[in-house]
Amino acid sequence: MRLGLALGYWGRGPDPRHVPLAQEAERLGYHSVWTAESWGSDVFTPLTWIAAQTSTIKLGTAVAQMAARSPTTTAMHALTLDHLSGGRVMLGLGLSGPQVVEGWYGRPFPKSPLTATREYVDVVRQVLRRQAPVEVDGRFHSHPYRGPDGTGLGKALKPITHPLRADLPILLGAEGPKNIAQTTRIADGWLPLYWSPNRPEVYEASLAEAPEGFLVAPMAQVRVCDDVAEGLLPVKTMLGFYIGGMGHAARNFHADLMARMGYEEQARRIQRLFLEGRREEAVLAVPDAFADEISLVGPRERIAERLESWRKGPVTDLLALAPDRESLRALAELNA
């Protein structure tokens, strides 16, 4: 099982720890470093900054939001950074949800998310292969554009710049069972948001037809500390925000996932508290058991014991979410 460093996205401003952590991860032999975006910092600029100050570690987006860019724009970002970094890019894509797509990007959330994702990946693949001009007559993506409000003058094009790699890895952040199953067919890997090694049945059917070499790269908060309950607080804070605030009361993919993992009653309670403005209560309502099973928190010996269950399943890459240097080092030593 390879290790990655997940840095997430910025808060109020740039995090001065990110580049030193990426450099330390590279020194410790971590395979990859990953950035993210929501509605603040973008995913590619910080990754480019990190690329300029590292030399071997792979550079991943977890995830680049599809609504933020047309698929050809995303492919341009990926092929440009891949050239500048010497072939280190791993392109993670995610559809996000209606709240972000419509509220932030000002675009309609696709009525058929699987079709929209499939068409998006198809366009990116065509750009990277550069075998012919990009042509897609899709429901959500049309190249050239053929809509009734167009001029009709669009021309199918292929990139001027020759991509460094036609097989640049594409991973998808997917949560629903059908979306995950499609991911095994159209992508090189999957980026689970929550992964519990104790509940393989949650994803077993969706991963049944995954091809050999398919990547499964979940994120997990990692923290070496003496007090497990205290160490779980950042995990619970993250869960409270995602389950309570990252979606509408009637449509929240994160809450639905928590429900499928056996915590339906608690997920709905967290949603209700958060939407009522009782955010601290929402965080405290996150069960310690759920926060614990999707993270690696506690004394070094406890993490070493629990790490074994992560190795036994289909996980190929464990992406450690923003740990401190001590936790980063301890995980590398325990996984050696």
Side-chain angles (χ1 to χ4, degrees), residues 54-304:
T54 56
S55 57
T56 58
I57 197 166
K58 302 295 183 183
L59 308 159
T61 58
V63 294
Q65 295 182 330
M66 297 184 206
R69 307 163 189 86
S70 71
T72 47
T73 307
T74 295
M76 289 167 65
H77 279 299
L79 72 86
T80 302
L81 182 53
D82 205 42
H83 269 292
L84 293 174
S85 66
R88 291 193 275 154
V89 171
M90 303 176 74
L91 180 61
L93 302 171
L95 199 58
S96 192
Q99 183 190 46
V100 176
V101 173
E102 298 183 1
W104 180 246
Y105 295 115
R107 303 180 61 181
F109 188 78
K111 289 183 171 60
S112 179
L114 271 71
T115 302
T117 299
R118 188 167 59 251
E119 291 177 3
Y120 198 104
V121 171
D122 181 23
V123 174
V124 173
R125 296 275 199 205
Q126 287 193 46
V127 173
L128 294 175
R129 286 195 296 265
R130 202 182 177 272
Q131 293 175 341
V134 176
E135 292 200 64
V136 173
D137 187 13
R139 179 177 173 185
F140 299 97
H141 299 285
S142 180
H143 294 265
Y145 182 71
R146 299 181 179 89
D149 56 342
T151 64
L153 301 177
K155 179 183 178 181
L157 302 168
K158 61 181 178 180
I160 297 170
T161 304
H162 292 231
L164 185 64
R165 295 180 294 163
D167 59 349
L168 186 152
I170 297 175
L171 297 87
L172 296 178
E175 293 183 44
K178 292 181 180 179
N179 202 347
I180 298 168
Q182 174 176 265
T183 298
T184 66
R185 297 190 294 271
I186 67 172
D188 302 297
W190 172 43
L191 294 160
L193 182 61
Y194 312 137
W195 176 271
S196 171
N198 305 328
R199 301 175 188 270
E201 70 281 357
V202 175
Y203 304 116
E204 191 171 20
S206 299
L207 294 174
E209 297 182 11
E212 185 177 353
F214 185 78
L215 304 177
V216 177
M219 292 186 193
Q221 291 208 30
V222 178
R223 185 179 179 191
V224 176
C225 60
D226 295 327
D227 189 328
V228 175
E230 181 184 343
L232 287 175
L233 277 177
V235 185
K236 295 176 67 170
T237 299
M238 177 271 294
L239 288 169
F241 176 64
Y242 272 72
I243 293 163
M246 290 283 276
H248 190 272
R251 194 170 189 185
N252 184 313
F253 301 136
H254 309 305
D256 293 345
L257 175 56
M258 182 179 175
R260 287 197 301 274
M261 295 178 76
Y263 295 90
E264 182 169 8
E265 182 180 343
Q266 296 92 328
R268 303 313 170 197
R269 181 164 185 261
I270 294 164
Q271 272 190 294
R272 186 175 65 255
L273 290 169
F274 196 95
L275 293 173
E276 290 173 357
R278 299 156 66 183
R279 298 191 176 191
E280 289 186 12
E281 292 181 63
V283 169
L284 294 176
V286 176
D288 281 6
F290 180 58
D292 194 29
E293 67 181 90
I294 65 169
S295 60
L296 288 162
V297 171
R300 182 185 172 106
E301 297 75 18
R302 184 176 191 267
I303 291 176

